[in-house]
Amino acid sequence: MARKIIIDTDPGQDDAVAILLALASPEEIEVLGITAVAGNVPLPLTQKNSRIVCELADRPDVKVFAGCDAPMKRKLHTAEHVHGKTGLNGPVLPDPTMPLQDQHAVDFIIETLRAEPEGTVTLCPLGPLTNIATAFEKAPDIVSRVQEIVLMGGAYFEVGNITPAAEFNIYVDPEAADLVFKSDIPLVVMPLDVTHKVLATRPRIEAIRALDTKVGHAVAEMTDFFERFDVEKYGSLGGPLHDPCVTAYLIRPEIFEGRHINVEIETSSELTLGMTVADWWRVTDRAPNALFIGSADDEAFFDLLTERLGRF
C-alpha cells in the first residue's frame, strides 16, 4: 500500500525535485496534498512554485494550499541568494493555471489528520516548520494521529549553511522546530550531514538531461542553476540535493543510515540560534527523539532519482 503523505514545502529547486520524485512514485507514495510555507522565497512564490511543479509533472489534480507567510515569532529570512528571485531560477516554466485551494494549509493539515485513520499520514516538511507547528498548536489532538515526520533540516558535523551554527530551514523558524522536535512523534531527520553527500555532479546532471523529456530538461536546468552556489562555497563536485532525500527515504529507506538520538533546538542564543544540538555520541541521558541520518548510498540515490524522473 502506498504511504499517505502531506508535502510541506517552500520551493526551491531541490524542493521541486523532491515533489517530482514523490509524484513519480505512486506505488510507494500517495500525495494527499502540498502545503506551501514561506522560506526559500516568500509565500506568494512558494505556493506558485508548488503549482508550477505539479503542472510540470502533468498533475494539476494535486491540491496545493498556501500556509503561513512568516515564522511563528520572528521576521522571515529568505534565500534568493541560493535559489534566485523566483525560487525556481534555471528553466523557463509557464505560470500555473491550476487553482490554489481556498483553504489555509494549516487547516488542511488539521482536517486531513482528523479524517484519515490514526497513524496513517506522514508529514514531509521540506522547509521551515511553521505550518506543521502552527497546526499542532492550533489542534493538539492531531499530534498523536501523525504516523511519522520525515523532514529535511538541521546539521551536526556540517554545522551551519546560513549561520556558522545553523541550517536554513531550522534557523528560519527555530520556535516551530523546537515544538515539532518535542512533539513525541517519530522523527526522521535529513540534515546537511547526509545531503552534502548526495551531490549532483556533472555526469549525474547530464544523465537526467539525457532523459530528453520536459521534466528531465527542467530538472537539469534547475540543478545547473542551484549547484553554482554550493560548488563555489564548498568547492564540491556538485550541488547537494537536500530535499529529495526525504522522498527517497520514503521509497527506499535502505539507501540511508543514521542513529536514533536526542536532538534539541537552540532558540535563544545569539551565536547558535537554530542549531540542531544532536547528541550523536550519546553523551547525555536525554531520551532519543529522532532518527538522525548521517550517510547515504549516493549512487543508489541517483539511480532511483533518474529512473523515477524518466517515468514522466
Side-chain angles (χ1 to χ4, degrees):
M1 245 174 79
R3 187 167 183 174
K4 297 176 182 179
I5 72 168
I6 296 172
I7 298 175
D8 190 68
T9 183
D10 61 337
Q13 292 88 350
D14 56 325
D15 303 71
V17 178
I19 294 167
L20 290 168
L21 181 54
L23 296 178
S25 306
E27 305 96 330
E28 294 92 358
I29 296 172
E30 178 186 353
V31 179
L32 300 178
I34 295 175
T35 52
V37 68
N40 286 321
V41 287
L43 183 66
L45 288 172
T46 61
Q47 58 88 352
K48 177 183 177 182
N49 291 347
S50 297
R51 292 182 290 139
I52 287 173
V53 174
C54 289
E55 291 191 351
L56 176 63
D58 290 325
R59 288 293 307 276
D61 59 296
V62 176
K63 292 181 178 180
V64 175
F65 303 82
C68 299
D69 62 1
M72 297 180 86
K73 296 183 179 180
R74 299 178 185 274
K75 292 177 63 175
L76 177 65
H77 287 270
T78 55
E80 289 89 348
H81 63 291
V82 178
H83 298 276
K85 288 184 179 180
T86 70
L88 285 184
N89 281 35
V92 178
L93 297 171
D95 286 345
T97 59
M98 63 184 279
L100 179 69
Q101 301 299 306
D102 292 333
Q103 188 178 29
H104 193 281
V106 168
D107 295 324
F108 168 74
I109 293 168
I110 294 169
E111 181 183 281
T112 303
L113 285 166
R114 286 175 174 168
E116 295 289 338
E118 185 172 340
T120 64
V121 176
T122 294
L123 302 179
C124 299
L126 309 178
L129 289 160
T130 315
N131 284 342
I132 307 300
T134 303
F136 291 172
E137 198 171 63
K138 184 175 181 180
D141 61 288
I142 67 173
V143 173
S144 64
R145 303 186 66 84
V146 178
Q147 178 181 3
E148 190 172 42
I149 296 176
V150 184
L151 67 89
M152 189 278 134
Y156 182 63
F157 293 101
E158 287 285 324
V159 290
N161 65 352
I162 191 68
T163 73
E167 179 275 330
F168 178 81
N169 287 344
I170 306 298
Y171 177 77
V172 168
D173 198 342
E175 284 78 17
D178 185 50
L179 192 155
V180 169
F181 274 75
K182 289 177 177 174
S183 67
D184 290 328
I185 296 170
L187 291 176
V188 179
V189 180
M190 296 288 167
L192 299 181
D193 303 292
V194 66
T195 66
H196 280 182
K197 296 169 183 169
V198 180
L199 299 179
T201 61
R202 182 52 44 190
R204 289 167 174 167
I205 294 173
E206 295 309 321
I208 292 171
R209 199 187 317 272
L211 295 170
D212 199 23
T213 61
K214 179 174 65 171
V215 168
H217 286 294
V219 169
E221 289 166 14
M222 286 182 202
T223 314
D224 283 340
F225 181 89
F226 180 61
E227 74 161 0
R228 91 219 179 283
F229 177 81
D230 288 278
V231 169
E232 182 177 335
K233 181 177 179 179
Y234 298 109
S236 57
L237 295 175
L241 282 183
H242 306 286
D243 295 329
C245 288
V246 168
T247 318
Y249 178 84
L250 298 176
I251 301 167
R252 289 192 56 195
E254 68 274 11
I255 289 175
F256 300 92
E257 291 185 2
R259 292 186 183 185
H260 195 226
I261 60 171
N262 180 269
V263 182
E264 299 198 11
I265 311 299
E266 178 57 62
T267 60
S268 58
S269 168
E270 290 184 14
L271 282 176
T272 59
L273 180 68
M275 183 177 185
T276 45
V277 182
D279 188 9
W280 184 261
W281 301 115
R282 301 187 178 105
V283 295
T284 75
D285 59 1
R286 294 195 288 266
N289 62 344
L291 177 60
F292 201 78
I293 303 298
S295 62
D297 181 339
D298 57 330
E299 291 293 341
F301 172 91
F302 278 97
D303 287 346
L304 172 67
L305 178 62
T306 306
E307 182 266 317
R308 295 299 167 96
L309 293 179
R311 294 180 172 187
F312 290 111

